C-alpha cells in the first residue's frame, strides 16, 4: 500500500512538471506581430497598423531611415496601431515593432524595419497656379491650389528676368493662397513666384510666366465655392462664380476626366444618393473626389477640388 501511494505521488508530480513545461514553452515563443502597414499618412504624421496574432501588447521604436536601434523614439501600446507625430515632410522613416507576451518574455524584433515616406509639405506645381488679370485696373491676381497647406506662403514678381527674387521683391501672404500685384504693364513678360514654408524652412520657388497682353486674361476664370458639407455621402456646396461649369465625380486617386460629369449652371449643388443614381460607376465604402471647372470661352479653367466623400 505504501509503495502504491509513493507511485501515485510520483505520477502527479510528473504531470505537473509537464504542464509547467508547456506553459513555459508557450510564453517563451512570443509570436511576432504581422501585416504591418500604413493606416493614414500626411506630411508630418503617420498611423501604423499591424495584426497581433495573440492579442499581446507591443513595443515600438522609430526614426529616420538607417537609424541605429536603441537611439530612436520608443513607445509601448496595447493597441494594434499607433500615431506617429511631428515627423518631417518628404522624409523616409524606419519603424520597428516587438510583441510583448509578459513582463519577462518579449518577441523578436524584426530584422528589416517597416519603411515609409511622409508626404511633401504642400505639393504645388506650375499648372496649379492660376492668374486672373484685370488689365483695365493694372492688376493681376495670383492664385495657387496646393494639395496641402504650408506653414506660410511667399510670392514675388519679376519682369523679364532669369534671376531669383531678392528680399525687396518678396511678399508674405499670411496663409492666404491668393495675392494681387498692382502696376502691371501691358505687353510685358512677367514671371510670378510662389513658395511655402515647411518645418520652418521655405521650399524652392514654383514659377509661372505670363504676358498681360494675352486676351484670355481679360476676365476672371477661376471656380470658387463655399458652404461645403458632406454627411453620409450627401454633398452640398455653392459656386460663387457665375457662368457654366463642369462638376466631375471621380474615384479617389483616379485620373481626372474618367469620372461622372455633371453640367451645371445653378449656383447650389446637391449630390445625394450618388451610389444609387450611378450603380454602374459607384462602389460601396469607397472614397470619391469632386472637382469643378469653370467654362472660359471655348475652354475650361483648371480643376478645383471641392471635397472627398465616402459612399456608404
Amino acid at each position: 500500500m505504501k509503495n502504491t501511494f509513493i507511485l501515485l505521488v510520483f505520477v502527479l508530480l510528473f504531470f505537473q512538471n509537464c504542464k509547467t513545461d508547456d506553459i513555459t514553452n508557450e510564453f517563451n515563443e512570443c509570436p511576432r506581430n504581422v501585416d504591418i502597414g500604413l493606416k493614414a499618412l500626411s506630411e508630418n504624421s503617420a498611423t501604423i497598423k499591424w495584426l497581433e496574432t495573440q492579442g499581446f501588447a507591443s513595443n515600438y521604436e522609430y526614426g529616420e531611415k538607417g537609424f541605429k536601434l536603441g537611439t530612436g523614439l520608443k513607445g509601448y501600446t496595447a493597441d494594434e496601431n499607433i500615431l506617429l507625430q511631428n515627423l518631417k515632410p518628404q522624409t523616409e522613416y524606419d519603424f520597428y515593432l516587438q510583441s510583448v507576451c509578459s513582463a519577462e518574455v518579449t518577441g523578436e524584433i524584426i530584422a528589416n524595419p517597416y519603411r515609409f515616406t511622409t508626404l511633401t509639405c504642400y505639393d504645388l506645381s506650375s499648372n496649379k497656379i492660376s492668374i486672373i488679370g484685370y488689365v483695365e485696373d493694372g492688376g493681376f491676381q495670383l492664385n495657387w491650389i496646393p494639395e496641402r497647406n504650408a506653414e506660410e506662403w511667399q510670392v514675388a514678381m519679376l519682369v523679364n528676368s532669369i534671376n531669383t527674387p531678392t528680399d525687396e521683391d518678396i511678399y508674405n501672404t499670411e496663409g492666404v493662397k491668393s495675392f494681387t500685384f498692382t502696376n502691371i504693364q501691358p505687353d510685358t513678360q512677367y514671371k510670378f513666384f510662389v513658395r511655402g514654408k515647411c518645418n520652418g524652412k521655405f521650399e524652392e520657388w514654383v514659377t509661372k510666366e505670363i504676358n498681360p497682353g494675352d486676351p484670355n486674361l481679360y476676365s476672371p476664370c477661376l471656380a470658387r465655392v463655399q458652404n461645403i458639407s458632406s454627411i453620409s455621402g450627401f454633398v452640398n456646396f455653392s459656386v460663387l462664380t457665375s457662368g457654366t461649369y463642369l462638376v466631375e465625380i471621380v474615384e479617389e486617386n483616379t485620373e481626372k476626366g474618367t469620372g461622372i460629369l455633371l453640367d451645371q449652371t445653378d449656383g447650389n449643388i446637391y449630390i445625394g444618393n450618388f451610389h444609387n443614381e450611378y450603380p454602374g460607376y459607384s462602389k460601396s465604402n469607397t472614397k470619391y473626389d469632386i472637382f469643378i471647372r469653370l467654362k472660359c470661352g471655348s475652354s475650361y479653367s483648371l480643376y478645383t477640388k471641392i471635397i472627398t466623400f465616402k459612399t456608404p
Side-chain angles (χ1 to χ4, degrees), residues 183-199:
N183 301 319
I184 300 293
Q185 301 299 316
D187 300 318
T188 303
Q189 191 74 20
Y190 291 93
K191 180 182 284 189
F192 294 93
F193 297 78
V194 183
R195 69 179 180 182
K197 179 184 284 187
C198 295
N199 203 32

Side-chain angles (χ1 to χ4, degrees), residues 209-260:
E209 295 184 359
I210 200 70
N211 191 317
D214 186 343
N216 293 324
L217 299 174
Y218 275 63
S219 61
C221 187
L222 184 69
R224 289 187 174 89
V225 297
Q226 66 176 4
N227 302 327
I228 304 170
S229 65
S230 175
I231 302 176
S232 301
F234 293 81
V235 181
N236 289 277
F237 58 92
S238 300
V239 182
L240 299 178
T241 314
S242 61
T244 300
Y245 44 86
L246 286 177
V247 176
E248 180 174 351
I249 306 174
V250 62
E251 187 175 343
E252 187 183 36
N253 299 324
T254 303
E255 185 178 357
K256 293 185 285 290
T258 62
I260 301 296

Side-chain angles (χ1 to χ4, degrees), residues 122-137:
Y122 49 81
D123 191 17
L124 180 66
S125 58
S126 179
N127 61 4
K128 294 180 181 178
I129 300 175
S130 62
I131 299 172
I132 302 175
Y134 300 92
V135 175
E136 298 86 354
D137 298 332

Side-chain angles (χ1 to χ4, degrees), residues 43-67:
E43 69 275 13
N44 50 30
S45 68
T47 301
I48 311 295
K49 62 180 179 64
W50 58 88
L51 177 63
E52 295 168 353
T53 55
Q54 298 292 333
F56 297 114
S58 301
N59 293 320
Y60 62 88
E61 184 176 352
Y62 66 98
E64 292 188 34
K65 176 183 174 182
F67 83 95

Side-chain angles (χ1 to χ4, degrees), residues 61-73 94-96 113:
E61 184 176 352
Y62 66 98
E64 292 188 34
K65 176 183 174 182
F67 83 95
K68 184 179 179 181
L69 267 175
T71 64
L73 296 171
D94 288 346
F95 178 84
Y96 291 90

